[in-house]
Amino acid sequence: MLRILIYNEFLHEKDPACRARDIYPDGIHAELAALFNAQPDLTADTVTLETVNEITRERLRNTDVLVWWGHMAHGDVPEEIAALVQEEVLSGMGAVFLHSAHKAKPFMRLMGTSCSLIWRESDDLERIWVSAPGHPVAQGLGKYFELPAEETYGEPFGIPAPDETVFVGWFTGGEAFRSGCTWQRGNGKVFYFQPGHETYPTYKNADVRKVLLNAVRWAAPVYRCENCMDCPNPPKAHKTGFGE
Amino acid sequence: MLRILIYNEFLHEKDPACRARDIYPDGIHAELAALFNAQPDLTADTVTLETVNEITRERLRNTDVLVWWGHMAHGDVPEEIAALVQEEVLSGMGAVFLHSAHKAKPFMRLMGTSCSLIWRESDDLERIWVSAPGHPVAQGLGKYFELPAEETYGEPFGIPAPDETVFVGWFTGGEAFRSGCTWQRGNGKVFYFQPGHETYPTYKNADVRKVLLNAVRWAAPVYRCENCMDCPNPPKAHKTGFGE
Amino acid sequence: MLRILIYNEFLHEKDPACRARDIYPDGIHAELAALFNAQPDLTADTVTLETVNEITRERLRNTDVLVWWGHMAHGDVPEEIAALVQEEVLSGMGAVFLHSAHKAKPFMRLMGTSCSLIWRESDDLERIWVSAPGHPVAQGLGKYFELPAEETYGEPFGIPAPDETVFVGWFTGGEAFRSGCTWQRGNGKVFYFQPGHETYPTYKNADVRKVLLNAVRWAAPVYRCENCMDCPNPPKAHKTGFGE
Amino acid sequence: MLRILIYNEFLHEKDPACRARDIYPDGIHAELAALFNAQPDLTADTVTLETVNEITRERLRNTDVLVWWGHMAHGDVPEEIAALVQEEVLSGMGAVFLHSAHKAKPFMRLMGTSCSLIWRESDDLERIWVSAPGHPVAQGLGKYFELPAEETYGEPFGIPAPDETVFVGWFTGGEAFRSGCTWQRGNGKVFYFQPGHETYPTYKNADVRKVLLNAVRWAAPVYRCENCMDCPNPPKAHKTGFGE
């Protein structure tokens, strides 16, 4: 049973002035949790900004894959929690960062770069091309899939060269973007997936849901270390002939 | 003085039925050679399919950067010459592969992959985004530049993960593509650049010309080895304490 | 059931003057096949240089992971068969190249580089460090394991930068080497593993056997395409506003 | 003129109980500054932990390449200064991290990983192999060079897969290590170089000095952006035919 923890800041969906409230009345995290919990091999739990302090070392040690959605309140996530998430990824926990989480503290810590991009909200259609058809995260999709409206994200995307560029997005307004990227960081696998603006029903899209299911299964830990930040000082093992 | 050798198969431009003849009456190689030879630090020479046998070991040893354009006659380039080019890149010669050279023998040998892509000729406008603004090949450009009409190339592009994705292309018809990519192969630098269909005046475009000038300067050799395919058998250097 | 095909040139083991005959009287392929066939989830078959023509498209299409050992007769493997292997890896078949297969034709085709290294036969002890403890191929090992005697392989190793450097080898005589490396090539996974000189009982070593079992399971195909070398020409999908 | 800024914590060299005092009476930074300042194309200045607050945005904007040596006082470098250094590297400043700076805050921020390793002080000889002979940082060296005594650093080295592994180190006591690694981060180039323990005269070694000179020249900025952390919101450029 793969144990998933979903963090969603859960602010837009409570804002009466925001369309997100109609699309995800219980929050993006509830939408995602329902998707995962309907699978026989997955079990998902959630935290929000209000309960962010529940993200403890122990909680993460009991999490296989962390899924993160944040946007307007990145700055309110305590630095200590961002550091905890980073360390647990390095120790082996998987992590899937969604959409505006490109500027989430744990993602930025894991990348080490600006994670900047250009963006625009103008109801552009997005077409998402599979650029790595052999990657586990891309299985079950066609050559591409489309979202009738998404926030536009565009290059340059300020990331380290990805291990694999799984998706490349195309927007009607003229932008192109590396929309799905993977990185190995320590023992942990990291996946960034661009779609998912809060004012569009992106996480109800059948192809997006396939990608999310693929992604959490792909990010499952292989091995988790203890104290992966340590620098051990082992004794000399080999007697050599250099004047000894 | 950086010594450039341009290979162009020079077939489309001699075909009375092809628009290429009007755009590049002396061939794409002549257009490129004139561009390079107008620079004080560059000197360029050319070969075509007709003279492809002039690509000898000695000629390549006296070449700093090879620029390659081919399309309909990839199969007519002798395997031995493709192997020579590959070896000289591994020894340190730079190589710039243009447009349909994604299926040229030397490029495919250096990549080891299918180098496949999807394509269409329908006069799409292309917008080329700079995705690595710090890369030498992208200097002097804006955020993006546009070509009023180009052949459409689209993902998946069957290449090994590039060292750097310098450009990402967007086409009106719905395609997106990693349009500028770099790879280190042995001691040599390789750059692939997607624009340049023979029926459009792409190589007369000011931004494309900037990219070409940047690319050959970037690809200049740092070090060239002799016999880089060899596996030397050096004697044991260190006496160690393992029962010796 | 993961279907493994083992290629071994099977020459050293038939040479009365070679120690390999005593260590692997039925050939390295028989040793490896027995290892794999003792596992409930694996089934292995073998070919040798003598039967190399059995490596057909159909045979490879029914192979999940190809394991390759070759040394003195790399040149006798037909170019067409090397090309077939390359294409099937690109289509999704896994491939594990062992020891002197660093100069095997299919490996060199997939890398595109010299694959050169330095070497020496002087019974050096090798210590193999795990440098990517989170990688599937490294599971079940300690911090390092040792081989009492191996042929020395040393840097520079003429390969493209690996996706992951899983093992780094240390030899008493003074060499160090990237002894376990992975590359994604098309849809296929490639693993190179340095130990395995024919005159030492390396493939009887418990840790080496763990690595081999891990490697074939890791290299299992995710997706296999048909005609992965093709460049499709799809029709225009999107009507855009650019003067159309 | 390439403007170099050297940070050295300068603590060991003031400790009467430490051999470093005899080797570098004016500090490692003074040794390095003298090396660089003797070159016609380089000019170097220094800061130490005592003057670390001189590392301001303005100072870094006037620095082309930052060289960093730290060990026991990584924790005393203010987080704000580490963040400044990270941002200026992303904007285009080069950075060279030496020896125990693998755990320096700016390096760890740029990598995003544990940067852990194993180590031992037992006067092991180190042999440093050139594994990327074509890299600018490796020019002018032989196949390898040796240091009669160095602190031992060993794998696993907790770094993201390097763009290029330029050096691989071998130690008499049985360790091997990726001793020279490069990464592109944003617009900036990063080089890590393992030798340089404070109790050995490593920075007086002729080959090490060649590497240092190569490294700062290689890391010179190509392009520096303003506000590289920003996410611009450009207007829609292309009118398309999607129901608009």
Side-chain angles (χ1 to χ4, degrees):
Chain A
M1 202 68 157
L2 198 71
R3 298 160 303 170
I4 299 164
L5 182 61
I6 301 160
Y7 168 81
N8 172 27
E9 64 180 34
F10 195 30
L11 294 177
H12 293 294
E13 305 98 316
K14 291 188 289 190
D15 176 358
C18 181
R19 264 194 290 174
R21 200 179 186 180
D22 302 319
I23 302 167
Y24 305 113
D26 301 318
I28 285 172
H29 55 296
E31 183 79 36
L32 298 178
L35 167 66
F36 297 136
N37 281 320
Q39 300 289 318
D41 59 326
L42 307 178
T43 178
D45 202 356
T46 63
V47 288
T48 64
L49 181 59
E50 224 174 78
T51 58
V52 71
N53 289 318
E54 291 177 17
I55 302 180
T56 59
R57 175 82 71 186
E58 197 197 343
R59 183 72 172 269
L60 294 177
R61 288 269 160 105
N62 288 291
T63 296
D64 294 310
V65 180
L66 182 67
V67 176
W68 195 280
W69 197 102
H71 182 213
M72 60 193 284
H74 291 322
D76 296 338
V77 173
E79 212 59 58
E80 298 71 34
I81 288 177
L84 265 184
V85 169
Q86 179 184 21
E87 277 189 38
E88 288 305 311
V89 170
L90 300 178
S91 94
M93 182 177 71
V96 176
F97 293 94
L98 297 176
H99 187 61
S100 40
H102 71 94
K103 276 284 191 183
K105 284 180 182 176
F107 183 68
M108 293 189 70
R109 280 174 168 263
L110 286 161
M111 296 294 105
T113 54
S114 72
C115 300
S116 294
L117 47 80
I118 65 168
W119 59 278
R120 189 181 63 252
E121 294 181 66
S122 50
D123 297 343
D124 289 61
L125 172 145
E126 178 177 10
R127 174 185 280 198
I128 296 169
W129 290 91
V130 174
S131 54
H135 197 279
V137 170
Q139 299 313 298
L141 305 167
K143 296 287 185 192
Y144 62 81
F145 61 94
E146 292 190 346
L147 300 169
E150 247 303 341
E151 183 180 11
T152 296
Y153 274 17
E155 297 284 338
F157 189 13
I159 48 173
D163 295 349
E164 292 197 74
T165 301
V166 183
F167 301 113
V168 177
W170 174 97
F171 297 88
T172 42
E175 280 77 14
F177 193 68
R178 288 170 288 175
S179 293
C181 298
T182 73
W183 299 267
Q184 182 77 25
R185 283 298 178 267
N187 295 333
K189 286 178 183 145
V190 177
F191 180 61
Y192 172 79
F193 189 49
Q194 158 264 316
H197 193 56
E198 67 276 4
T199 63
Y200 305 113
T202 296
Y203 297 124
K204 297 175 187 290
N205 175 282
D207 284 314
V208 167
R209 291 164 82 93
K210 275 185 205 166
V211 172
L212 295 173
L213 291 174
N214 287 342
V216 295
R217 287 172 179 135
W218 166 80
V222 170
Y223 165 73
R224 290 188 80 152
C225 63
E226 294 286 319
N227 309 318
C228 70
M229 306 302 284
D230 277 9
C231 288
N233 173 217
K236 194 160 190 165
H238 276 165
K239 189 173 165 291
T240 62
F242 289 88
E244 291 166 289
Chain B
M1 203 68 156
L2 199 69
R3 300 161 300 169
I4 299 164
L5 182 62
I6 302 161
Y7 168 82
N8 174 27
E9 62 181 34
F10 196 30
L11 295 177
H12 294 294
E13 306 97 317
K14 291 188 288 191
D15 175 359
C18 180
R19 263 194 292 174
R21 201 178 186 182
D22 302 320
I23 303 168
Y24 305 113
D26 301 319
I28 285 173
H29 56 296
E31 183 79 35
L32 299 177
L35 168 66
F36 297 136
N37 281 321
Q39 301 289 318
D41 58 327
L42 307 179
T43 179
D45 202 354
T46 63
V47 287
T48 65
L49 181 59
E50 225 173 76
T51 58
V52 70
N53 290 318
E54 291 178 17
I55 303 181
T56 59
R57 175 83 69 186
E58 197 198 342
R59 183 73 173 268
L60 294 177
R61 286 270 161 103
N62 288 291
T63 296
D64 294 311
V65 181
L66 180 69
V67 177
W68 195 281
W69 198 102
H71 183 215
M72 59 193 285
H74 291 322
D76 296 338
V77 173
E79 211 60 56
E80 299 67 37
I81 289 178
L84 264 184
V85 170
Q86 178 184 21
E87 277 189 39
E88 287 305 310
V89 170
L90 299 179
S91 95
M93 181 179 71
V96 175
F97 293 94
L98 297 175
H99 188 60
S100 39
H102 70 94
K103 278 283 190 183
K105 283 180 183 177
F107 184 67
M108 292 189 71
R109 279 173 168 265
L110 286 160
M111 297 293 105
T113 54
S114 72
C115 301
S116 293
L117 47 79
I118 65 169
W119 59 278
R120 191 182 60 252
E121 294 181 67
S122 50
D123 296 343
D124 290 60
L125 172 146
E126 178 176 12
R127 174 184 282 196
I128 296 170
W129 290 90
V130 174
S131 54
H135 196 280
V137 170
Q139 298 314 296
L141 305 167
K143 297 287 186 192
Y144 62 82
F145 62 94
E146 292 189 347
L147 300 170
E150 247 303 340
E151 183 181 11
T152 297
Y153 274 17
E155 297 283 339
F157 189 13
I159 48 173
D163 295 350
E164 292 199 73
T165 302
V166 183
F167 301 114
V168 177
W170 174 99
F171 297 88
T172 42
E175 280 76 15
F177 193 68
R178 288 171 288 174
S179 294
C181 297
T182 73
W183 298 266
Q184 182 76 26
R185 284 297 178 266
N187 295 334
K189 286 178 182 147
V190 178
F191 180 60
Y192 172 79
F193 189 48
Q194 159 262 317
H197 193 55
E198 68 274 5
T199 63
Y200 305 114
T202 296
Y203 296 125
K204 297 174 187 291
N205 176 282
D207 285 314
V208 166
R209 291 165 82 92
K210 275 186 206 168
V211 172
L212 295 173
L213 290 173
N214 287 341
V216 295
R217 287 171 180 136
W218 166 80
V222 170
Y223 165 74
R224 290 187 81 153
C225 62
E226 295 285 320
N227 308 320
C228 71
M229 305 302 284
D230 277 8
C231 287
N233 172 219
K236 194 158 189 167
H238 274 164
K239 187 171 165 295
T240 62
F242 288 88
E244 290 165 291
Chain C
M1 203 69 156
L2 199 69
R3 299 161 302 171
I4 300 164
L5 181 63
I6 302 160
Y7 168 82
N8 174 26
E9 62 181 33
F10 195 29
L11 295 177
H12 294 294
E13 306 98 316
K14 292 189 287 191
D15 175 359
C18 180
R19 262 195 291 173
R21 201 180 187 181
D22 303 319
I23 303 169
Y24 305 112
D26 301 319
I28 285 173
H29 55 296
E31 183 79 35
L32 298 177
L35 168 66
F36 296 137
N37 281 320
Q39 300 288 317
D41 59 326
L42 307 179
T43 178
D45 202 354
T46 63
V47 287
T48 65
L49 181 59
E50 224 174 77
T51 58
V52 71
N53 289 318
E54 292 178 16
I55 302 182
T56 60
R57 175 82 69 187
E58 198 197 342
R59 183 73 173 269
L60 294 177
R61 286 269 160 103
N62 288 291
T63 296
D64 294 311
V65 180
L66 181 68
V67 176
W68 195 281
W69 198 102
H71 183 213
M72 60 193 283
H74 291 322
D76 296 337
V77 174
E79 212 59 58
E80 299 70 35
I81 289 178
L84 265 185
V85 169
Q86 179 185 21
E87 276 190 41
E88 288 305 310
V89 169
L90 300 178
S91 94
M93 182 178 71
V96 175
F97 293 94
L98 298 175
H99 188 61
S100 40
H102 70 95
K103 278 283 191 183
K105 284 181 182 176
F107 184 68
M108 292 189 71
R109 281 174 167 263
L110 286 161
M111 297 295 104
T113 53
S114 72
C115 302
S116 293
L117 46 80
I118 64 167
W119 59 279
R120 190 182 59 251
E121 294 181 67
S122 50
D123 297 343
D124 289 62
L125 172 146
E126 178 176 11
R127 174 184 280 197
I128 296 170
W129 290 91
V130 174
S131 55
H135 197 280
V137 170
Q139 299 313 298
L141 305 167
K143 298 287 186 191
Y144 62 81
F145 61 94
E146 292 189 347
L147 300 170
E150 248 303 340
E151 182 180 12
T152 296
Y153 274 18
E155 297 282 340
F157 188 14
I159 47 173
D163 296 350
E164 292 197 74
T165 301
V166 183
F167 300 114
V168 177
W170 174 98
F171 296 88
T172 42
E175 280 77 14
F177 193 68
R178 288 171 289 174
S179 294
C181 297
T182 73
W183 299 267
Q184 182 76 27
R185 284 298 179 265
N187 295 333
K189 287 178 182 147
V190 178
F191 181 59
Y192 173 78
F193 189 48
Q194 159 263 315
H197 193 55
E198 67 275 4
T199 62
Y200 305 113
T202 296
Y203 296 124
K204 297 175 187 291
N205 176 281
D207 285 314
V208 167
R209 291 166 82 92
K210 275 186 206 168
V211 172
L212 295 173
L213 291 174
N214 287 341
V216 294
R217 286 171 180 136
W218 167 81
V222 169
Y223 165 74
R224 290 186 80 152
C225 62
E226 295 285 321
N227 308 320
C228 71
M229 305 303 283
D230 277 9
C231 287
N233 172 219
K236 194 159 190 166
H238 275 163
K239 186 172 165 297
T240 63
F242 288 89
E244 290 166 291
Chain D
M1 204 67 156
L2 198 71
R3 300 159 303 170
I4 299 164
L5 182 62
I6 301 160
Y7 168 82
N8 173 26
E9 63 181 34
F10 195 30
L11 294 177
H12 293 294
E13 305 96 317
K14 291 189 288 191
D15 175 359
C18 181
R19 265 195 289 174
R21 201 180 186 179
D22 302 321
I23 303 168
Y24 305 113
D26 301 319
I28 286 172
H29 55 295
E31 182 79 35
L32 298 178
L35 168 66
F36 297 135
N37 281 321
Q39 301 289 317
D41 59 327
L42 307 179
T43 177
D45 202 354
T46 64
V47 287
T48 64
L49 180 60
E50 223 173 80
T51 59
V52 70
N53 290 317
E54 291 177 17
I55 302 180
T56 60
R57 174 82 69 186
E58 198 197 341
R59 182 73 173 269
L60 294 177
R61 288 268 160 104
N62 289 290
T63 296
D64 294 311
V65 180
L66 182 67
V67 176
W68 196 280
W69 197 103
H71 182 213
M72 60 193 283
H74 290 323
D76 296 338
V77 173
E79 211 59 58
E80 298 70 34
I81 289 177
L84 265 184
V85 170
Q86 179 185 20
E87 277 189 39
E88 288 306 310
V89 170
L90 299 178
S91 95
M93 181 179 72
V96 176
F97 293 94
L98 298 175
H99 188 60
S100 40
H102 70 95
K103 278 284 191 183
K105 284 180 182 176
F107 184 68
M108 292 190 71
R109 280 174 168 265
L110 286 160
M111 297 294 106
T113 54
S114 71
C115 301
S116 294
L117 48 79
I118 65 168
W119 59 278
R120 189 182 62 252
E121 295 181 66
S122 50
D123 296 343
D124 290 61
L125 171 147
E126 178 176 12
R127 174 185 281 198
I128 296 170
W129 290 90
V130 174
S131 54
H135 197 279
V137 171
Q139 298 314 297
L141 304 167
K143 297 287 185 192
Y144 61 81
F145 61 94
E146 292 190 345
L147 300 170
E150 248 302 341
E151 182 180 13
T152 297
Y153 273 18
E155 297 282 339
F157 189 14
I159 48 173
D163 296 350
E164 292 197 73
T165 301
V166 183
F167 300 113
V168 177
W170 175 97
F171 296 89
T172 42
E175 280 77 14
F177 193 68
R178 288 171 288 175
S179 293
C181 297
T182 73
W183 298 267
Q184 182 77 25
R185 284 299 179 264
N187 295 333
K189 286 178 184 147
V190 178
F191 181 60
Y192 172 77
F193 189 48
Q194 158 263 315
H197 193 55
E198 68 274 6
T199 63
Y200 305 113
T202 296
Y203 296 124
K204 297 175 187 290
N205 176 282
D207 286 313
V208 167
R209 291 165 83 92
K210 275 186 206 168
V211 172
L212 295 172
L213 291 173
N214 287 341
V216 296
R217 287 172 180 136
W218 167 79
V222 170
Y223 165 74
R224 291 188 80 152
C225 63
E226 294 285 319
N227 308 320
C228 71
M229 306 302 284
D230 278 8
C231 288
N233 173 217
K236 194 160 191 165
H238 274 165
K239 188 173 164 295
T240 62
F242 289 90
E244 290 165 290

